[in-house]
Amino acid sequence: MGRFEEFLRLGNYRGAFAEALKERDPLKRIALTVEVISRSYREDFIPPLLEMLREVKGLKEKAVAESYVGMAFYALELEKEGEEHFGRAFEYLERISSPMVRAGVLRVIGNTLVLSGRYSDGLRAFERAFDILQSGRALYSEVVSEMVRLARDIEHSAEEIPNEKAIDFYRLARGVYEALGFKLQAKEIDNKIELASEVFRRGSLAVTELLERGEAATALQMARFLPPVDRAITMLNVSYWLFIHDMNDLARTVFEDTTEMLLVGKFPAGERELEAVAYKFLRIGKAKEALILAGLLRDERRVSELLGEIAIFHARRGNVDEAMTLANRIGDILIKDKVIKAIKEIRGMQEK
């Protein structure tokens, strides 16, 4: 589904939806459509989604599909409708006779509940799945495989929660690993609990100190636990740190993920803080990144000043045509005239 992902990345939601419709499996088609809805926040994809729901056969598949649809409604802040679909998911779940299948479905429902912001309900679903697996009579290898999947999903869910509720998920994941006898994984969870607790106690300062110690991967992981208002700026600063330490591939990935979340409105960010980060990127020669951040600003004067600095940056490097193109996009007339004059002076000096 390369084209699907590419369309999503570009914000071409109609294109992404068209790609989703090519999927033959109705459950996979629903999952892809829900992803489009969660990224676009558009209600016009709901009617075809509900049509897809009618194609799903089997209790397991119906339970999973209903939870996906519930998540889509929560993404649109239509909580009443979302709750109805989650209710149906649990109704289908109760009719599943196999404990192993029921545990697997509960794991999926737990994930969708967390992604819908229903953290306590998600935790209860995971706990119930764990209880079923501990008392299950299936083959040992099947139980172990499902418990490993459960532990990983609980751990990943913890990283979606920007408050101290994440600690409860980590503790449950540790309990599952301990039940499996996976001491190393349980120890890693203990480390995550310690770091997450530090972030909840000290905020973005704890993430900054991790960066200063060169622990970029851990800093990035811990930034997930910051309140949304702090998270985006902190992650952009992590990207900046990665760039200046020549970790360019990871830096670009973090930058693109963060700006995408800002574009779809998942994270709020203050104008002043966003502007400051843009200038930091420009100072290290990352004009493309600075320009993207300029596009996220709403204050016309801030945008004009930043575009002017980016234009002059290009002019000084001999890219006068690109500089003039940017200068002509400046909304503030006084700043625009000043920047165009500066570019012409730079060009004159370069031609001598």
Side-chain angles (χ1 to χ4, degrees):
M1 296 302 291
R3 284 172 61 83
F4 174 82
E5 294 294 342
E6 181 67 11
F7 282 136
L8 272 188
R9 189 182 67 82
L10 295 172
N12 183 350
Y13 301 117
R14 280 287 170 197
F17 179 61
E19 289 297 312
L21 290 178
K22 295 177 182 178
E23 175 57 56
R24 286 181 151 186
D25 185 322
L27 187 56
K28 291 181 181 177
R29 200 184 319 135
I30 286 172
L32 294 172
T33 303
V34 169
E35 189 171 353
V36 173
I37 293 170
S38 298
R39 299 277 281 273
S40 67
Y41 302 105
R42 286 170 54 173
E43 293 186 33
D44 52 318
F45 293 117
I46 287 291
L49 176 66
L50 296 178
E51 285 295 322
M52 296 173 201
L53 197 53
R54 296 176 184 176
E55 299 178 43
V56 179
K57 309 298 181 184
L59 292 175
K60 171 187 173 182
E61 291 76 12
K62 284 178 178 291
V64 170
E66 289 286 359
S67 74
Y68 286 158
V69 174
M71 182 171 64
F73 277 108
Y74 269 91
L76 296 170
E77 298 184 354
L78 298 171
E79 295 186 5
K80 181 181 177 182
E81 292 85 348
E83 193 168 344
E84 287 175 1
H85 284 280
F86 274 117
R88 289 175 198 162
F90 279 105
E91 287 173 11
Y92 286 122
L93 173 79
E94 298 306 327
R95 292 165 56 188
I96 296 172
S97 59
S98 166
M100 286 294 295
V101 174
R102 205 179 312 133
V105 172
L106 275 166
R107 175 171 54 80
V108 176
I109 293 176
N111 278 323
T112 53
L113 284 166
V114 168
L115 292 172
S116 300
R118 292 176 58 173
Y119 305 138
S120 296
D121 291 334
L123 183 64
R124 281 193 288 271
F126 284 135
E127 288 172 338
R128 187 177 167 194
F130 185 30
D131 289 341
I132 290 172
L133 291 171
Q134 284 187 301
S135 58
R137 296 180 180 178
L139 290 172
Y140 177 75
S141 59
E142 292 179 4
V143 174
V144 169
S145 295
E146 185 57 41
M147 285 181 72
V148 169
R149 285 191 287 269
L150 177 63
R152 288 173 178 167
D153 279 3
I154 297 169
E155 188 176 349
H156 293 154
S157 290
E159 294 168 2
E160 296 289 338
I161 302 172
N163 59 48
E164 294 187 21
K165 193 69 180 174
I167 301 297
D168 294 332
F169 281 77
Y170 274 137
R171 286 173 178 155
L172 179 59
R174 180 181 61 193
V176 178
Y177 282 129
E178 288 175 343
L180 288 165
F182 290 6
K183 295 181 179 179
L184 179 60
Q185 287 84 349
K187 178 63 177 174
E188 288 176 354
I189 295 292
D190 278 331
N191 292 337
K192 288 184 177 182
I193 290 173
E194 184 178 344
L195 288 168
S197 299
E198 185 75 1
V199 172
F200 293 135
R201 185 169 61 86
R202 301 177 61 226
S204 58
L205 181 61
V207 179
T208 301
E209 289 183 359
L210 285 168
L211 283 177
E212 289 172 351
R213 296 202 300 265
E215 299 177 32
T218 306
L220 181 59
Q221 185 180 60
M222 293 302 102
R224 297 175 185 272
F225 298 115
L226 292 170
V229 72
D230 297 327
R231 197 185 319 173
I233 298 300
T234 301
M235 289 178 73
L236 287 173
N237 278 313
V238 171
S239 174
Y240 168 79
W241 187 94
L242 292 167
F243 272 124
I244 63 177
H245 287 85
D246 296 322
M247 301 169 71
N248 294 321
D249 290 343
L250 181 57
R252 288 192 185 91
T253 299
V254 174
F255 181 86
E256 289 170 2
D257 289 348
T258 308
T259 51
E260 184 176 335
M261 287 185 277
L262 284 166
L263 280 167
V264 299
K266 286 190 176 181
F267 293 164
E271 293 273 291
R272 186 180 300 173
E273 292 82 359
L274 205 54
E275 179 188 37
V277 176
Y279 280 110
K280 286 173 69 173
F281 278 107
L282 188 59
R283 283 196 294 271
I284 61 170
K286 300 299 176 183
K288 178 183 175 183
E289 285 74 14
L291 185 60
I292 290 170
L293 295 179
L296 295 171
L297 297 173
R298 295 177 298 278
D299 182 275
E300 185 176 324
R301 184 165 183 82
R302 291 183 191 276
V303 175
S304 295
E305 289 176 348
L306 182 52
L307 283 177
E309 291 296 327
I310 298 171
I312 290 170
F313 170 88
H314 283 295
R316 286 173 176 163
R317 280 153 182 76
N319 303 320
V320 175
D321 289 342
E322 189 170 355
M324 289 299 290
T325 299
L326 285 172
N328 284 314
R329 288 170 51 186
I330 295 172
D332 187 300
I333 298 299
L334 293 176
I335 296 174
K336 180 178 181 178
D337 290 344
K338 181 181 177 180
V339 171
I340 290 175
K341 181 181 178 182
I343 293 171
K344 289 178 178 177
E345 290 175 355
I346 292 170
R347 181 170 57 189
M349 292 176 64
Q350 291 172 345
E351 289 174 349
K352 287 182 180 180

